[in-house]
Amino acid sequence: MAFLRGFGKYLPERVVTNAEMAAHLEVEADWIREMSGIEERRFAGDGESVAAMGAAAGLDALTRSGVGVGELGLILVSSGTAERRFPGPAAEIQHRLGAAQAIAMDVPMASAGALFALAQAERWAGRAGKVLVVASERMSDVAMTAPMEKGTAMLFGDGAGACVVDRDGGRARIVDFELGTDGSNASELRLEFGAPLHMNGRSVIMHASRKVPAAINAVLSRAGLAAADLRTILMHQANANLIAKIAQTLGVEAGKFYSNIARYGNTSSASMLIAARDWDEGFAPGDKVMFAAFGAGYQWGAMLVEGS
Amino acid sequence: MLNKINEIVAKVAGKPVNIATDESLFDSGLLDSFALTDLVTALEAEFKITVPDSDLNPRKFDTLDKIASYVENLQ
């Protein structure tokens, strides 16, 4: 058994509006908003590395959870945009936080990485006690690398999210999760070393539109719940239109999904935990909240938590 | 078969299908990425088929001819 204690985030100060992005990409600003629901995003500066942003988000989560750095047994870090092959950002985040007693492991996954890291945290919490899950991305580095595909580049922003998972108690219990991987589509969404980001948007939308609702429904079915029973759904902020499509498939209003994509764009694996931090109204006992994500791999899943 | 698929595409697109059967439904502007999911769901319902995840490839549904061929093979 494991519990969520609190969320954290870090967003770079630099705001990149659709007007600025549109001028750079030679498209209309309104087109960006219509295609994605995004109005602005943040771009990291020189000192805002994946590890620096991740450590800041992690510290925010620890502070909001009332957990000291010295209490951590494990740090899990998801990122698809780590600056080097190895070591990944987890070790550097451990050092930046001063959590020398904690082991640190990378989850080198974009988009769905935070969800998979949360699932790992649930399994590790019994041994590690308190686990800090961090998701940090510098998507601007890859999305703005020439040659840019306009419909891809306009989506992304930078930032980090975090969550403290605790074996001994917290504000919401992890009830169940469903994860999936389909490696036959690994080439459809990929980032090669030294190459621009490649995304077959049609394929991504086609698979996400079916796989995410299926994962959510599988978890709901095992819990004897319906989508309408959920207080909210905190999903990877990929694209507002995709979220609306998934809501339609589930038979719920799009408003059931919390969304902050208009302000931050798609921050890949960081987005789900940034959304959780922004949504964080407090879990009332019995509140059911679903996390969900889809991304490169393809990898996807859903996780049900219940207010304690 | 083609006439029925034409009807389904028109319903999903919300406009008449006035393109050649080998012309791309996407490049012609009839369907966008989000409508593709609706199209597959509509095909499953109409022809009582199940499109497996392994066949969720936009290229299989790019033209009326390809859709007809795919559905025929699945039936």
Side-chain angles (χ1 to χ4, degrees), chain A residues 159-181:
Chain A
C163 178
V164 175
V165 177
D166 192 340
R167 171 188 60 203
D168 300 320
R171 296 158 53 211
R173 178 176 63 90
I174 297 175
V175 176
D176 190 12
F177 57 81
E178 175 91 2
L179 303 177
T181 300

Side-chain angles (χ1 to χ4, degrees), chain A residues 119-120 122-123 174-179 219 222 302-304:
Chain A
Q120 290 189 38
E122 192 266 350
R123 294 302 159 106
I174 297 175
V175 176
D176 190 12
F177 57 81
E178 175 91 2
L179 303 177
V219 174
R222 290 198 290 267
M303 172 180 281
L304 177 66

Side-chain angles (χ1 to χ4, degrees), chain B residues 6-75:
Chain B
N6 194 303
E7 282 177 28
I8 293 169
V9 171
K11 189 173 179 184
V12 170
K15 49 190 164 186
V17 180
N18 295 317
I19 61 171
T21 58
D22 61 352
E23 190 176 347
S24 170
L25 297 167
F26 304 104
D27 295 343
S28 66
L30 260 176
L31 297 181
D32 64 17
S33 301
F34 293 98
L36 177 57
T37 305
D38 294 335
L39 173 64
V40 173
T41 302
L43 291 170
E44 289 179 320
E46 176 62 34
F47 295 107
K48 297 180 174 47
I49 58 175
T50 298
V51 177
D53 276 10
S54 56
D55 285 348
L56 291 178
N57 182 336
R59 288 176 281 275
K60 289 182 185 287
F61 304 92
D62 188 40
T63 69
L64 295 170
D65 284 340
K66 287 180 183 176
I67 295 170
S69 174
Y70 176 75
V71 171
E72 281 174 358
N73 284 336
L74 211 59
Q75 281 183 317

Side-chain angles (χ1 to χ4, degrees), chain A residues 4-256:
Chain A
L4 308 185
R5 284 191 70 122
F7 304 101
K9 70 174 181 179
Y10 176 84
L11 278 308
E13 282 190 18
R14 189 187 165 213
V15 175
V16 178
T17 64
N18 278 356
E20 180 180 346
M21 183 61 82
H24 186 73
L25 298 175
E26 298 180 333
V27 298
E28 295 294 324
D30 285 348
W31 174 79
I32 295 176
R33 185 172 45 76
E34 288 165 13
M35 296 298 290
S36 66
I38 295 166
E39 294 177 9
E40 60 187 39
R41 74 284 292 147
R42 307 291 181 93
F43 275 10
D46 288 341
E48 294 171 314
S49 65
V50 167
M53 293 191 293
L59 193 57
D60 184 38
L62 289 167
T63 301
R64 291 170 60 86
S65 301
V67 171
V69 168
E71 298 178 73
L72 291 175
L74 170 65
I75 300 170
L76 289 168
V77 179
S78 77
S79 182
T81 50
E83 291 94 347
R84 59 193 175 206
R85 290 176 191 262
F86 64 82
E92 188 176 340
I93 288 174
Q94 181 242 35
H95 178 64
R96 282 175 177 265
L97 289 172
Q101 79 292 339
I103 60 169
M105 290 193 285
D106 291 291
V107 181
M109 290 173 58
S111 301
L115 186 73
F116 277 65
L118 279 179
Q120 290 189 38
E122 192 266 350
R123 294 302 159 106
W124 266 90
R127 178 184 175 110
K130 290 178 174 53
V131 182
L132 177 63
V133 173
V134 174
S136 183
E137 304 280 7
R138 272 186 67 119
M139 292 303 295
S140 61
D141 288 341
V142 295
M144 301 304 284
T145 298
M148 289 175 290
E149 201 286 304
K150 295 173 182 178
T152 302
M154 59 90 165
L155 292 170
F156 294 104
D158 302 332
C163 178
V164 175
V165 177
D166 192 340
R167 171 188 60 203
D168 300 320
R171 296 158 53 211
R173 178 176 63 90
I174 297 175
V175 176
D176 190 12
F177 57 81
E178 175 91 2
L179 303 177
T181 300
D182 174 6
S184 69
N185 287 287
S187 64
E188 301 289 24
L189 176 53
R190 67 183 192 275
L191 177 61
E192 309 278 358
F193 283 109
L197 179 68
H198 171 81
M199 181 167 73
N200 180 342
R202 281 180 200 149
S203 175
V204 170
I205 291 166
M206 195 176 195
H207 282 267
S209 299
R210 290 169 69 107
K211 288 179 162 75
V212 173
I216 290 173
N217 281 327
V219 174
L220 287 172
S221 175
R222 290 198 290 267
L225 298 170
D229 297 326
L230 298 169
R231 177 171 170 186
T232 195
I233 301 172
L234 297 165
M235 188 175 143
H236 163 45
Q237 305 286 294
N239 182 312
N241 295 325
L242 176 60
I243 291 173
K245 175 61 68 180
I246 290 171
Q248 180 189 354
T249 304
L250 288 171
V252 298
E253 296 292 322
K256 181 72 84 176

